[in-house]
Amino acid sequence: MIEDNGGYFIGWGTLSLINAGLAQAKGRSGLAWFLLSLLLGPIATFLIVVMGPLVPRREP
């Protein structure tokens, strides 16, 4: 039997795109979080949600 796992990969890719958008909204690199999400999936989503926004450093 041939199984179709295309839905699984589409869902994982969609989650990665959503994570990239969440990361950019918090001032983080969307590309880095997209790639990290391809590896970690829902764990990366949890990390993005739990971490606060990135605050830029002030130069003296």
Side-chain angles (χ1 to χ4, degrees), residues 5-50:
N5 290 327
Y8 176 76
F9 292 113
I10 291 171
W12 202 269
T14 303
L15 180 63
S16 296
L17 288 172
I18 291 168
N19 287 345
L22 286 172
Q24 283 186 337
K26 291 193 171 194
R28 301 183 185 278
S29 171
L31 177 61
W33 277 97
F34 173 78
L35 296 174
L36 188 64
S37 295
L38 287 175
L39 297 173
L40 299 179
I43 297 169
T45 305
F46 175 76
L47 292 173
I48 293 169
V49 170
V50 170

